[in-house]
């Protein structure tokens, strides 16, 4: 058993950290070692079943394997559970805490102690690293832990890490209404005095099960922090809506400030307050007025809230029905089996007449099992002092009962018959269903806004291996010596901004650097000059210079520190395409022009590495907003006409990142394809690299990626497969063939001797009419064996299709099929009927693996004279083995004696 221990009188930070750890340590259980804060106690009264909590008394210490202690480093804060730290059978003791400078008396095998505002933040960071998602209930209690311990990020110990953790928790579905109910920001002395006055003068009304309260406070001047006072009033009085008015004198005339709070679903204070010149949010709003009748304003607001209050859901709307029940004589073991089978947290117990007599919870069953009473009847452990409700009981009344009596399941009775049950889960689902949707809509837009305001160079340094960061630093220093600026561009910047995990390592294998020396009259060769300078500093790197574009690359291969790293270095440049699909002509230019020549806005971002504005993000074309909107947007209208490979890159990015192609960009793609420009340019020009080698490179990136099928489907939807050939369509038959191809590769290429992306491409080309196949393969400059295979595919397919059905014996099948290599037979198989395909598969799995019973050495020992006949003899022996004529060596020798006498 793996246990997570919260300190005595557990607060929200301890509980939140413990809940997060149950996701990091699957199967672990939380033990509250000695009570909890009142707010935590009330919270658990409603939410307990959402978390893996067990009682200390139900733990069998002999089964404990590991202990994880949260939010403390002191044994005496663990109560009686501290004795578990000394158990001889413990494998591990882990400590998570955010209190620095404390002397720990826990002998931990691992410690995670850091200067953050809340221990929960440390857990969130690890969840992000491991890409573990949370339920809204888990995210909410963890967010509460950070809110409470940081004063909602207002306490001095709050750090940016806490803010990032909270932002991520919001993405996971944190319920802000629950947060506002349970956090305690604290009040100033003046506000505490006003709180006392407000509590004494608060007026109430109840409507549809909701309580609305209002009060007017008169002061000599404006009081700051009234919103905190309003929140405190709502929490202390457990009201559902509040109108807090403050009358005061300002500059000789009376003024009125009104704060509104509402936890009532579907009410909208913003709309109500806007009628009087105020505003805010649906659940929180305010207004400031001068020289008004405060009582009239108050009445108008109260009447407005009353008009908005909906009829709350009732038990009939929430309950689960029919109810799974057991008899009082059911054993504890059987009850546990039922709970496990149906995933329930409790069971209703009824007598033989079907009348409710008790409820037994999972906690009751756990304790009974712990004490060895698995065969005891549940009637000895069930709760008989029941609280029940009717189908018309409202949601607020249900929630109040659950919190007041710490009840997780409320039976619904109608005419003394059990008609349903309302659980904590039913209540939480109702409470969360509105807020969770809002969180999802807002969280995606916030993640980038948080990241973009970080110091990006610092952020990059934190995410890169130190040796890699040193390389970038050295490169920037070399550029500065020459008066140039150096920028990190393209995918690395994009991935940095997309990184969702604050502490995650950014895996970079390819780095693109751009030297901007335009203001210093640097020519196109500046990138090469910088690369040569770096190669002197890093002699283990191989230097490649690409003369046509005057760019250079530094390559490391299995370096102990930089691994297999590729660094491209170019001078900022502009480019011109002499004709569509050609290679561009380039010349030195500015960084802005260099970014403008790129494909999509999300790849046209640059991070400055050189001083004095190191860390500055260059975003001239709205790439950051497109990342936020998760869309692929092209930089200019002619982009796809100039370079059709950009269509394939756009599709690849869209599928890889889960983005969508922006509508205008999609129109540009369709226009370029339907214009016929690619056919015309291919006819008019002997070299069209964007339709040849560069297109093959893009196809390689797509077809070797795990998402290749989705990418092909999107390319087909756009009509972009025409770039390969005008007749290529991803029809039902081709989809079937590709599916069969994957089965063949998994089944017959276990050692990965084939290049799978090439075989996939060959399958696409083989779907074309025979007269186009070799031409397309040559155009894409595939390897010679691929071209030859596609050129001979039609005749090979015809031969196999005609001859294989006539092959009655296995030896005939082997003789026919062994003339073709594995890729050819796979291509034939995927285009063949089931019967032909079955024979080819049988050849691969059975007959091709049959070994001859004799070999050349055996023939020599049997006194057969070496010569050309050996081949014929051995082939005939193999054929006889395949056909079952001979089964062992003795029969093989008899076969020789009969057919090849000496």
């Amino acid at each position: 058993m793996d246990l997570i221990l919260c300190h005595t009188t557990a607060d929200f930070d301890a509980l939140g950290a413990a809940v997060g750890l149950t996701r990091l340590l699957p199967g672990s259980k939380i033990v509250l070692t000695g009570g909890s804060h009142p707010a935590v106690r009330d919270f658990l009264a409603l939410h307990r079943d959402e978390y893996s909590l067990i009682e200390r008394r139900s733990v069998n210490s002999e089964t404990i394997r590991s202990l994880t202690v949260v939010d403390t480093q002191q044994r005496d804060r663990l109560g009686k559970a501290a004795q578990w730290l000394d158990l001889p059978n413990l494998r591990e003791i882990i400590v998570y805490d955010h209190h620095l400078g404390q002397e720990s008396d826990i002998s931990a095998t691992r410690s995670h102690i850091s200067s953050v505002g809340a221990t929960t933040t440390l857990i969130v960071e690890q969840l992000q690293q491991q890409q573990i998602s949370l339920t809204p209930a888990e995210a909410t209690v963890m967010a509460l832990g950070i809110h409470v311990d940081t004063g909602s990020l207002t306490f001095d110990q709050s750090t940016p890490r806490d803010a990032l953790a909270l932002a991520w928790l919001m993405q996971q579905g944190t319920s802000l209404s629950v947060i506002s109910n349970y956090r305690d920001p604290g009040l100033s002395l003046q506000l505490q005095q006003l709180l006392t006055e407000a509590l004494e003068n608060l007026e109430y009304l109840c409507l549809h099960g909701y309580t609305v309260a209002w009060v007017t406070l008169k002061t000599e001047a404006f009081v700051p922090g009234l919103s905190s006072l309003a929140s405190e009033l709502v929490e202390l009085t457990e009201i559902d809506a509040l109108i807090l008015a403050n009358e005061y004198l300002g500059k000789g005339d009376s003024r009125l400030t009104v704060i509104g709070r509402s936890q009532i679903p579907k009410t909208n204070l913003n709309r109500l307050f806007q009628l009087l010149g105020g505003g805010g949010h649906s659940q929180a709003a305010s207004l400031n007025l001068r020289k008004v009748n405060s009582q009239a304003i108050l009445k108008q607001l109260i009447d407005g809230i009353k008009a908005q209050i909906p009829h709350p859901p009732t038990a009939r709307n929430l309950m689960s029905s029919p109810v799974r029940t057991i008899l009082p004589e059911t054993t504890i073991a059987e009850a546990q089996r039922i709970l496990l089978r149906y995933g329930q947290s409790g069971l209703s117990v009824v007598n033989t007449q079907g009348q409710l007599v008790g409820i037994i919870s999972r906690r009751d069953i756990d304790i009974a099992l712990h004490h060895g009473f698995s065969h005891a009847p549940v009637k000895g452990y069930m709760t008989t002092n029941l609280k029940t409700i009717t189908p018309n009981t409202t949601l607020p009344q249900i929630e109040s009962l659950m919190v007041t009596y710490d009840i997780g399941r409320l039976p619904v009775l109608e005419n003394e018959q059990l008609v349903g049950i309302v659980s904590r889960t039913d209540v939480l689902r109702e409470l969360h269903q509105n807020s969770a949707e809002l969180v999802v809509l807002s969280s995606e837009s916030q993640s980038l806004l948080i990241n973009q305001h970080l110091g990006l160079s610092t952020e990059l340094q934190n995410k890169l291996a130190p040796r890699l960061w040193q390389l970038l630093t050295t490169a920037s220093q070399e550029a500065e010596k020459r008066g140039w600026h150096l920028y990190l561009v393209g995918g690395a910047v994009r991935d940095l901004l997309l990184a969702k995990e604050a502490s995650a390592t950014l895996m970079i294998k390819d780095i693109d650097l751009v030297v901007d020396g335009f203001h210093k009259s640097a020519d196109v060769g500046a990138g090469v000059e910088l690369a040569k300078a770096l190669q002197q500093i890093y002699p283990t790197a191989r230097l490649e210079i690409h003369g046509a574009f005057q760019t250079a690359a530094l390559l490391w291969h299995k370096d102990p520190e930089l691994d297999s790293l590729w660094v491209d270095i170019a001078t900022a440049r502009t480019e011109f395409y002499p004709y569509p699909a050609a290679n561009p002509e380039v010349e030195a230019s500015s960084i802005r022009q260099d970014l403008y020549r790129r494909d999509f806005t999300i790849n046209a971002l640059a991070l400055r590495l050189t001083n004095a504005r190191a860390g500055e993000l260059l975003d001239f074309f709205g790439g950051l907003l497109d990342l936020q909107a998760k869309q692929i947007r092209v930089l200019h209208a002619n982009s796809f006409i100039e370079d059709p490979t950009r269509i394939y890159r756009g599709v690849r990015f869209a599928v890889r990142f889960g983005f969508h192609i922006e509508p205008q960009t999609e129109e540009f793609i369709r226009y370029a394809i339907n214009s016929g420009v690619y056919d015309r340019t291919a006819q008019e020009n002997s070299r069209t690299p964007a339709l040849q080698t560069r297109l093959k490179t893009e196809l390689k990136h797509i077809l070797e990626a795990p998402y290749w099928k989705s990418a092909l489907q999107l390319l087909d939807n756009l009509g972009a497969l025409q770039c390969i050939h005008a007749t290529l369509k991803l029809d039902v038959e081709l989809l079937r063939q590709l599916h069969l191809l994957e089965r063949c590769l998994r089944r017959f290429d276990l050692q990965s001797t084939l290049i799978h992306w090439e075989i996939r491409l060959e399958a696409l080309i083989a779907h074309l009419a025979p007269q186009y196949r070799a031409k397309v393969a040559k155009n894409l400059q595939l390897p010679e064996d691929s071209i030859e295979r596609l050129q001979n595919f039609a005749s090979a397919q015809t031969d196999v299709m005609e001859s294989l059905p006539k092959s009655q014996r296995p030896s005939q099948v082997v003789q026919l099929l062994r003339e073709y290599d594995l890729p050819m037979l796979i291509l034939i198989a995927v285009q063949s009927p089931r019967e032909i395909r079955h024979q080819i598969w049988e050849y691969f799995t059975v007959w091709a693996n049959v070994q001859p019973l004799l070999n050349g050495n055996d023939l020599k020992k049997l006194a057969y004279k070496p010569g050309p006949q050996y081949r014929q003899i051995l082939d005939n022996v193999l054929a006889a083995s395949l056909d079952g004529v001979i089964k062992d060596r003795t029969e093989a020798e008899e076969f020789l004696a009969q057919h090849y006498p000496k």
Side-chain angles (χ1 to χ4, degrees):
M1 178 180 291
D2 300 309
L3 298 181
I4 302 164
L5 306 183
C6 298
H7 55 70
T8 54
T9 319
D11 57 14
F12 275 117
D13 188 28
L15 179 62
V19 168
L21 279 167
T22 61
R23 299 304 304 276
L24 289 171
L25 306 171
S28 57
K29 304 293 183 183
I30 302 169
V31 177
L32 301 179
T33 60
S36 57
H37 283 193
V40 174
R41 183 191 60 226
D42 291 345
F43 177 84
L44 287 176
L46 181 60
H47 298 77
R48 179 184 297 272
D49 288 341
E50 298 297 319
Y51 314 119
S52 298
L53 287 162
I54 61 173
E55 303 284 344
R56 180 177 56 81
R57 57 180 175 167
S58 68
V59 174
N60 182 349
S61 61
E62 294 180 358
T63 65
I64 300 175
R65 297 181 303 178
S66 71
L67 293 173
T68 302
V69 180
V70 295
D71 204 33
T72 185
Q73 303 170 53
Q74 308 299 320
R75 296 172 63 99
D76 59 8
R77 296 207 62 198
L78 297 178
K80 293 182 179 180
Q83 61 188 353
W84 294 340
L85 296 169
D86 303 319
L87 291 172
N89 54 319
L90 278 183
R91 298 178 184 174
E92 192 172 33
I93 300 175
I94 309 170
V95 171
Y96 285 86
D97 194 20
H98 69 123
H99 301 104
L100 296 183
Q102 289 193 1
E103 202 168 314
S104 176
D105 57 1
I106 296 176
S107 299
T109 53
R110 278 193 290 143
S111 295
H112 301 271
I113 302 171
S114 186
S115 180
V116 290
T119 303
T120 304
T121 297
L122 303 178
I123 311 303
V124 169
E125 291 173 346
Q126 291 194 10
L127 289 167
Q128 290 177 285
Q129 288 175 3
Q130 298 187 30
Q131 298 183 344
I132 297 174
S133 60
L134 302 176
T135 66
E138 291 165 342
T140 298
V141 71
M142 295 183 73
L144 267 171
I146 299 175
H147 270 289
V148 171
D149 257 35
T150 65
S152 295
L153 304 178
T154 63
F155 293 169
D156 290 341
Q157 69 265 27
S158 303
T159 69
R161 293 167 64 184
D162 299 300
L164 290 170
L166 274 177
W168 183 78
L169 290 170
M170 290 180 68
Q171 290 178 314
Q172 301 298 304
T174 295
S175 171
L176 298 183
S177 61
V178 174
I179 297 291
S180 65
N181 282 340
Y182 289 98
R183 69 178 175 84
D184 181 15
L187 298 176
S188 66
L189 181 60
Q190 182 184 22
L191 288 176
Q192 290 179 35
Q193 294 170 346
L194 289 175
L195 175 62
T196 301
E197 180 181 344
L199 289 171
E200 292 175 352
N201 295 287
L202 210 57
E203 297 182 72
Y204 302 87
L205 70 84
C206 290
L207 182 65
H208 302 319
Y210 295 104
T211 302
V212 179
W214 63 93
V215 67
T216 300
L217 302 173
K218 296 186 178 182
T219 60
E220 295 181 356
F222 172 74
V223 178
L226 284 174
S227 59
S228 296
L229 175 59
S231 299
E232 189 73 11
L233 277 170
V234 170
E235 181 172 349
L236 288 175
T237 58
E238 298 184 346
I239 56 178
D240 302 297
L242 171 69
I243 300 295
L244 172 63
N246 176 215
E247 278 187 289
Y248 62 100
L249 293 176
K251 296 183 181 180
D253 59 357
S254 63
R255 298 195 178 194
L256 178 68
T257 296
V258 183
I259 305 290
R261 293 288 185 270
S262 176
Q263 302 176 72
I264 304 174
K266 300 183 181 179
T267 55
N268 192 322
L269 294 181
N270 179 49
R271 188 181 307 150
L272 183 60
F273 276 55
Q274 277 183 341
L275 297 174
L276 296 169
H281 303 287
S282 61
Q283 293 184 313
S286 63
L287 60 84
N288 291 283
L289 300 172
R290 295 175 57 185
K291 296 181 180 178
V292 294
N293 185 328
S294 61
Q295 294 306 307
I297 295 295
L298 202 60
K299 183 177 185 305
Q300 182 176 344
L301 292 172
I302 294 168
D303 289 342
I305 288 181
K306 289 165 61 177
Q308 288 185 350
I309 294 176
H311 288 274
T314 62
R316 193 181 299 278
N317 309 125
L318 302 174
M319 69 185 187
S320 301
S321 181
V323 184
R324 191 165 301 281
T325 61
I326 57 176
L327 294 171
E329 292 75 25
T330 304
T331 65
I332 291 292
E334 178 64 10
Q336 184 200 37
R337 188 189 67 79
I338 295 172
L339 283 180
L340 291 174
R341 179 172 180 176
Y342 298 103
Q344 296 183 346
S345 59
L347 293 168
S348 299
V349 185
V350 297
N351 58 22
T352 53
Q353 289 76 41
Q355 296 175 321
L356 182 69
V357 295
I359 285 182
I360 188 164
S361 70
R362 183 172 54 199
R363 279 185 291 168
D364 298 328
I365 291 174
D366 286 343
I367 292 173
L369 289 171
H370 169 70
H371 292 295
F373 291 99
S374 59
H375 298 292
V378 297
K379 63 183 178 182
Y381 289 85
M382 68 184 186
T383 300
T384 56
N385 184 19
L386 301 177
K387 298 293 181 183
T388 62
I389 54 177
T390 71
N392 296 321
T393 304
T394 64
L395 175 59
Q397 293 169 326
I398 294 170
E399 189 176 357
S400 176
L401 279 171
M402 286 184 170
V403 171
T404 302
Y405 297 101
D406 191 13
I407 299 172
R409 299 167 67 81
L410 286 170
V412 184
L413 301 182
E414 188 172 32
N415 299 325
E416 298 185 356
Q417 293 296 310
L418 181 64
V419 295
I421 197 145
V422 176
S423 68
R424 286 191 181 102
T425 302
D426 298 322
V427 172
L428 292 173
R429 185 184 297 113
E430 182 68 26
L431 295 174
H432 279 293
Q433 66 180 3
N434 294 324
S435 60
E437 183 177 352
L438 294 174
V439 169
V440 169
L441 291 173
S442 63
S443 62
E444 292 177 353
S445 63
Q446 290 180 13
S447 62
L448 279 176
L449 293 176
I450 291 168
N451 279 334
Q452 67 165 306
H453 288 106
L454 294 174
L456 285 179
S457 61
T458 302
E459 180 74 358
L460 183 63
Q461 181 180 359
N462 292 337
K463 288 179 178 293
L464 293 181
R467 182 67 172 165
L468 187 52
W469 175 252
Q470 181 58 49
L471 171 65
L472 295 181
T473 302
T474 302
S476 65
Q477 291 169 348
E478 290 297 313
E480 286 174 0
K481 289 180 184 178
R482 295 160 174 78
W484 300 336
H485 299 313
L486 186 65
Y487 294 90
L488 179 69
V489 299
V493 182
R494 177 197 66 222
D495 294 344
L496 172 65
L497 291 167
L498 280 176
K500 296 180 179 178
E501 302 158 359
S503 57
T505 299
L506 194 62
M507 300 302 296
I508 299 181
K509 295 292 186 182
D510 298 307
I511 291 180
D512 291 317
L513 299 177
V514 169
V515 180
D516 181 7
F518 194 67
H519 63 295
K520 291 286 186 180
S521 299
D523 61 20
V524 177
V528 174
E529 181 180 338
L530 180 60
K532 289 179 176 179
L534 286 174
Q535 207 268 340
Q536 294 297 314
I537 301 171
Y538 294 92
T540 57
R542 187 174 85 251
L543 174 65
E544 290 186 357
I545 298 175
H546 309 288
F549 302 102
Q550 278 295 287
T551 62
L554 291 172
L555 295 84
W556 286 262
H557 181 64
K558 295 184 178 178
D559 185 87
E561 293 181 314
L562 293 173
D563 197 15
S564 297
L565 176 66
W566 184 305
V567 179
D568 271 307
I569 307 176
T571 308
R573 53 192 173 155
T574 188
E575 63 186 21
F576 171 74
Y577 287 82
Y579 54 86
N583 281 331
E585 298 173 359
V586 300
E587 62 183 42
S589 184
S590 66
I591 184 64
R592 190 183 193 284
Q593 287 296 316
D594 189 272
L595 295 175
Y596 183 64
R597 73 179 180 82
R598 295 173 184 270
D599 45 19
F600 304 103
T601 59
I602 64 170
N603 294 328
L605 298 160
L607 178 65
R608 182 166 170 168
L609 299 176
T610 44
N611 291 317
R613 298 194 306 273
E616 177 185 16
L617 179 68
L618 273 60
D619 179 19
F620 299 113
F621 314 109
L624 198 60
L625 290 175
D626 288 332
L627 282 175
Q628 180 181 333
K630 294 190 172 183
Q631 67 179 8
I632 305 297
R633 182 165 61 88
V634 77
L635 284 169
H636 52 88
N638 291 320
S639 183
F640 302 119
I641 289 176
E642 291 177 339
D643 188 354
T645 61
R646 287 173 174 162
I647 300 173
Y648 282 67
R649 283 202 297 278
V651 165
R652 176 158 57 91
F653 292 137
V655 177
R656 173 185 170 189
F657 297 125
F659 285 15
H660 67 276
I661 297 177
E662 181 255 347
Q664 180 71 70
T665 299
E666 183 175 334
E667 288 183 20
F668 291 149
I669 290 174
R670 294 188 184 279
Y671 175 78
I673 292 170
N674 296 330
S675 68
V677 65
Y678 304 143
D679 289 335
R680 290 197 303 272
T681 195
Q683 293 171 7
E684 296 169 0
N685 301 278
S686 59
R687 292 187 69 253
T688 53
L691 292 170
Q692 297 170 329
T693 53
R694 300 210 318 264
L695 178 58
K696 182 184 76 171
T697 299
E698 282 304 319
L699 284 166
K700 174 181 183 292
H701 290 321
I702 287 173
L703 293 173
E704 68 183 4
Y707 47 77
W708 66 272
K709 288 183 181 177
S710 299
L712 283 182
Q713 288 176 332
L714 182 52
L715 285 168
D716 183 63
N717 290 338
L718 294 169
L721 293 179
Q722 293 181 38
C723 295
I724 301 174
H725 192 269
T727 63
L728 185 58
K729 302 282 186 183
L730 194 66
D731 53 28
V732 173
E733 175 59 24
L734 180 53
L735 283 171
R736 185 189 71 84
Q737 291 175 15
L738 291 173
H739 175 72
L740 291 172
L741 175 68
E742 290 308 292
R743 290 178 59 189
C744 288
L745 291 175
R746 287 195 303 269
R747 194 165 181 178
F748 307 132
D749 189 29
L750 300 177
Q751 305 301 320
S752 296
T753 58
L754 303 179
I755 302 174
H756 288 198
W757 76 265
E758 284 187 355
I759 298 298
R760 290 169 186 145
L761 181 53
E762 288 184 34
L764 291 175
I765 298 172
H767 189 62
L768 299 172
Q771 64 268 30
Y772 302 134
R773 294 166 182 163
K775 182 179 179 181
V776 170
K778 290 176 182 177
N779 183 66
L780 292 175
Q781 298 181 19
L782 293 185
E784 286 299 324
D785 61 331
S786 293
I787 296 173
E788 183 179 353
R789 189 158 39 247
L790 289 164
Q791 193 165 18
N792 298 328
F793 176 65
S795 60
Q797 184 183 32
T798 300
D799 180 34
V800 170
M801 295 279 286
E802 290 179 354
S803 302
L804 202 54
K806 301 174 184 177
S807 302
Q808 301 299 317
R809 297 191 304 274
S811 61
Q812 294 174 316
V813 174
V814 171
Q815 185 177 5
L816 172 66
L817 297 184
R818 71 181 177 185
E819 298 299 320
Y820 304 105
D821 61 11
L822 174 61
M824 178 69 86
L825 289 177
I826 288 177
L827 292 178
I828 293 172
V830 300
Q831 287 199 14
S832 299
R834 182 189 299 271
E835 296 77 12
I836 299 293
R837 190 167 63 251
H838 178 75
Q839 284 183 285
I840 294 174
W841 286 11
E842 194 167 10
Y843 165 73
F844 280 136
T845 56
V846 180
W847 299 328
N849 299 317
V850 174
Q851 299 297 320
L853 295 171
L854 299 173
N855 57 34
N857 291 328
D858 296 323
L859 295 182
K860 285 182 182 180
K861 292 178 180 178
L862 293 171
Y864 284 92
K865 186 178 180 180
Q869 79 247 24
Y870 267 31
R871 174 65 180 272
Q872 181 182 357
I873 293 173
L874 292 176
D875 282 348
N876 287 340
V877 170
L878 176 61
S881 299
L882 289 167
D883 297 337
V885 175
I886 58 176
K887 299 181 179 60
D888 52 36
R889 183 183 179 90
T890 301
E891 292 183 358
E893 293 178 358
E894 293 174 355
F895 178 84
L896 286 179
Q898 179 181 355
H899 292 85
Y900 296 96
K902 301 172 188 177

